[in-house]
Amino acid sequence: MDSGAIASLMQHPIESALLVLDRDGMPLAANPAAQALGLQASAARYAPVLRDLRELLADGRLQAVACSLPGPQRRLDGWLRAVRAPEGGVLAYTLGIPDPEDSGRWQVALDSAGHGLWDWDIAANRIFRSESWLAMLGYTADDVPDANLESALALVHPDDIERVRAAVRAHLDGHSPMYAGEHRVRHADGSWRWVRDSGRVVSWSADGRPLRMVGTHTAIDAQKQLEGELRKQQALLEEIQRLAAMVPWSWDPETDTGWWPDDLYRLTGHPRQEGDSARAWLRRMPRPAASALRRAWRRMRRDGQPVQFDLVLDGPQGEPLQVLAWARPELDAGGHIVRVLGQLQDVTGQRRADALLRWRTELLDRVSSLGHIGGCEIEPVSRRVQWTEECYRIHGMPHGPLTLDDALALYTRDSREAFEGALRRLAAGGAPEQLELCFYRHSGQRVWVQVMVEMDRREGMVPRLVALYRDITRERETSERIELLSHYDLLTGLPNRFLLRAQTEEAILASHDRAGSGLALLLLDLDGFKGINDSFGHAAGDAMLKAAAGRMHHALGSGELFGRLGGDEFLVVMRGPADPAMAEDLARRLIAVLAEPLAFGSEQLKVGASVGIALLGRDGHAFDDLLRAAHAALHAAREQGRNSCQLHNEDIQRHARRRLEIEHSLRGALEREEFSLVYQPQVSLRDGQAPGVEALLRWHRPAGACHPGEFIPVAEQCGEIVRLGDWVIAQACRQAVAWHAAGLDFGRIAVNVSGVQLRDRGFAERVVTLCQRAGWPPGRLELELTESALIVDSDSLRHCFSVFERHGVQLAVDDFGTGFSNLQYLNRFPVQRLKIDRSFVTDMLRDANAGEVTQAIIHLGHALGMRVVAEGVETLEEQAQLARWGCDEIQGYLYTRPLPPRELAQWLRQLSIEPLSGAWIPGLAGRNL
């Protein structure tokens, strides 16, 4: 064959894979698609196998024959053709695989339908399996490398192998049109899975030998399980019917023939008659029963609905046989009855027992009516119960059949166990017993009863239990009320402080007696509870306390003690090993359950929780020591923010002592004149003037220095901040008046104000009065507020700002960016100035994020029409950067530290002589005035 023609053919841009073979089937050339599939190697390896196909083409009877070769991922199907010389002889063969990329479409379809695909090369005894086949049984291609018939049969259950072999052989021999069967296959995890396997031969050799077989594999485990379950249910149904003495039957009204089981003949005592009709059964029945049956048939034919009715028949021995019957019609499209299905149940024994029970009930009712005492008779074996009228009334239940289990379902677990224990002792020959039991009526009302129970063993009667009930609810409630008032919290029903102390002290003693035992005290306080009381009223607060108590109760185990100390404080005593991690885990669980909101009317109330933890031995050995330590830890947890817990430690103890010492020292410190003010100017970057001076509080404590950041929070908590704040405003205003009288030029005097002061009644009016008394215009007073002081919008806060706005008092937000940063309050309140916190200024030159935040605050302030002051400026580089970003004013050690009044007056005089301009800033940077 011409090599140029072959090369031209191979380079032709076709999507099919094309292979040229010599007369022995060996590859001569391949186009790119065939090369990509590695067809040369496959063709060379399978050349002997394909000899029959080549001979079939050589004799000229066929133009092309189907041919398959294994590909890299799946079998490739194509056509083998002969290339002939002009005289008709075979020069070569071509093998074409049309569109090899599309050959997996059928496999994808099968995979999507939940089938696995297999392909058996019979001549080479090699089986190819799809990914879904492998995945169905948990295998990968590497798990089953020897994919041949023997390895496939090795996966089949031993009991099924011969059946599978026979089915495959029958199809290969032509005895069956296809191979199909169900068998078990071993899963990769070792278990057996049911599959439905089917396939057929799709390719034969020239002499009719099967060459290729393709099939599918479907998981049917669920179907097999369902079939087994249905068989079990059928057997169970038949057993239930037998136990219930129920007999099924069916009847065809058209032919008057029916299916009457042997049980029906045994029940009625009639001999079996083949071909029995309904009319024959009617003739055997007593007349009243036959009439009842005819009435039921007429009603069923009229309504087309199932019916239930009673029959009294003659039993096998001639005794009355009471039967309960059910019948259900099956209707055709026109609504006519084509078949009736029914059941009969022998209820003779039940009806006799019911009559006996009614008689006994009447007897007990007469006894109980004498003294308002409920009477009860219990059959030990069947546990059937007969109650008197009074007994029904005590339990609040309607009349009807009752078992002991039905009655005991009302009782608490302890009462049920006590009653069952008494019954066991009586059955063993014990003496009569008297019990006090508790149960709940269906209405939810709790009832206490005194029960006298004994075994009646009178001769001639089956032994039975007799119980007498007396309602003692009022007596118990009176006793419980006394106990409740003295030991329990009336709102939540939890142990109060006194009972908790007693229980905890007992637990402490018990832990001392047991080696390895311990105890942890968890003191929990609701965060935000005061706000709910103030905003929604005490009813909402009480609802929140009850909800909190209920949620914590459900989160705690039976081993913990739990109670309410008072207010919104709860105490949990964790008994067991004193493990800090376990105590912290319990604290976090309690915090989590309290975080869910509570619906109160149309409102959703939400609180947080803080928890302080103290451990026995490490933090104290007595209840008071542990409670004191837990209080200190709780205080530390509150300082961390909402929803946090804190273990007590030495640092907390030292902090608590320090705080207590500061609080005691604050009392009377103002009268002892231990406070003074220092002042730090705020410098304009535009003209170097001082548009404002900030007054800063200092405490000259005899016991040692105390920073404002330490004593101000204590003053806020103990209430001293209100008097102290008024003194600061008055003192700053008087000093400002003195400087103004001395001819010193500055704009405003600024004073820091606490949120506690803003919430104090009459604060705004006092500010204006203090300014007026000192002779300082309110319009030149600036109050610096923190973001947290503004975040809660209230009537008192709006009133404050209304007064300030009316008198021109200026407002600034101090340490902006470190609080909640909620921009809504900037629009709600008349804020004129933002002060950038020193932490951003300190980091802005070396931290890109801090720089971006600082620049954003400047732009935000200007966008809202405010001026921006940067605190903590200490270098010229910081000043220059702030100036480039457009900051209005700066404050910090670059110009001066906070100064006493006389030194600041000197600084202001120097400023009036040498205004701070850009050229003067370097010269003044090193001054220490």
Side-chain angles (χ1 to χ4, degrees), residues 63 101 414 509 680 886:
Q63 296 297 319
E101 293 299 323
D414 291 343
L509 290 174
Q680 189 174 38

Side-chain angles (χ1 to χ4, degrees), residues 140-151:
T140 65
D142 296 333
D143 296 332
V144 284
D146 299 321
N148 50 43
L149 181 60
E150 289 71 30
S151 66

Side-chain angles (χ1 to χ4, degrees), residues 841-856:
V841 175
T842 301
D843 296 338
M844 69 181 183
L845 296 181
R846 59 175 179 269
D847 185 344
N849 289 333
E852 290 174 1
V853 172
T854 303
Q855 189 175 8

Side-chain angles (χ1 to χ4, degrees), residues 701-750:
R701 185 166 168 264
C706 188
H707 192 272
E710 186 177 14
F711 72 78
I712 290 295
V714 178
E716 289 179 337
Q717 292 170 6
C718 70
E720 281 294 304
I721 193 66
V722 175
R723 292 196 315 123
L724 191 55
D726 288 355
W727 178 86
V728 170
I729 294 172
Q731 188 71 13
C733 288
R734 285 195 294 268
Q735 185 60 61
V737 170
W739 284 333
H740 182 71
L744 299 177
D745 186 20
F746 65 96
R748 61 190 180 274
I749 190 76

Side-chain angles (χ1 to χ4, degrees), residues 489-531:
D489 174 57
L490 294 180
L491 178 64
T492 62
L494 296 175
N496 60 17
R497 177 186 295 268
F498 303 105
L499 182 55
L500 275 173
R501 172 186 288 275
Q503 291 175 337
T504 306
E505 288 174 346
E506 289 179 7
I508 291 173
L509 290 174
S511 68
H512 290 159
D513 296 337
R514 292 193 301 269
S517 183
L519 184 143
L521 209 69
L522 284 74
L523 183 61
L524 186 143
D525 179 78
L526 300 182
D527 298 326
F529 175 74
K530 184 178 183 301

Side-chain angles (χ1 to χ4, degrees), residues 407-482:
L408 290 181
L410 299 174
Y411 284 76
T412 63
R413 185 177 63 181
D414 291 343
S415 294
R416 283 198 304 272
E417 292 174 354
F419 193 78
E420 293 281 13
L423 295 187
R424 287 193 295 272
R425 290 188 292 274
L426 288 169
E433 296 192 27
Q434 181 173 301
L435 308 170
E436 288 191 2
L437 307 178
C438 178
F439 67 88
Y440 286 85
R441 292 174 177 162
H442 290 305
S443 63
Q445 181 185 1
R446 187 181 66 167
V447 178
W448 281 92
V449 289
Q450 186 181 72
V451 182
M452 175 69 75
V453 58
E454 63 178 331
M455 180 71 77
D456 185 354
R457 303 179 186 274
R458 282 181 291 180
E459 186 177 353
M461 296 186 66
V462 177
R464 67 192 191 282
L465 292 157
V466 176
L468 300 179
Y469 292 82
R470 185 171 71 87
D471 188 344
I472 59 169
T473 304
R474 288 190 178 181
E475 300 171 24
R476 288 295 298 243
E477 286 179 348
T478 301
S479 176
E480 288 177 354
R481 185 67 177 173
I482 295 172

